[in-house]
Amino acid sequence: MEKIRRILAACGAVLLLAMYGSTLFFAITDHSQTMGLLKASIACTFIIPVLLYAYTLVYRNIQNSRPASGEESACEDMTDLAGEEDPGSDQT
C-alpha cells in the first residue's frame, strides 16, 4: 500500500509540474489559441489540487466511519457500560 501511495504522489507531482510548465509556455507564446489554453491551464492548476484534497478528505471520513469487524461488538459493549453506574462510587 505504501508503494502505491508513493507512486501516486510522484505522478501527482509530475502532473502539477506539467501544468505549471504549460501555464508558463502558454503565457509566453503568441498564438491565436493560447489565451484560451492559458485560462484552462490556470484553472486546472487550482482546481485539480483542490479536488484531490477533497477526495482525500472524503476517503478518510468514509474509512474512519466504518468500524472494523472486531470493533463493532466492542462498541456495543461500551454503550452498555455507559448506562451503568460505577460500583465503586459513593452514593450519598
Side-chain angles (χ1 to χ4, degrees), residues 6 15 20 28 32 43 64-65 76 80 83-84 88:
R6 286 181 186 222
L15 180 65
Y20 293 142
I28 293 173
S32 61
N64 289 339
S65 66
E76 290 173 1
D80 291 340
E84 298 175 4

Side-chain angles (χ1 to χ4, degrees), residues 33-67:
Q33 296 178 349
T34 55
M35 184 54 79
L37 293 173
L38 177 64
K39 290 178 185 177
S41 180
I42 290 172
C44 287
T45 301
F46 291 107
I47 292 172
I48 289 176
V50 169
L51 286 177
L52 288 174
Y53 182 71
Y55 291 148
T56 304
L57 286 178
V58 169
Y59 179 76
R60 285 182 188 168
N61 287 335
I62 289 173
Q63 291 299 323
N64 289 339
S65 66
R66 290 186 198 165

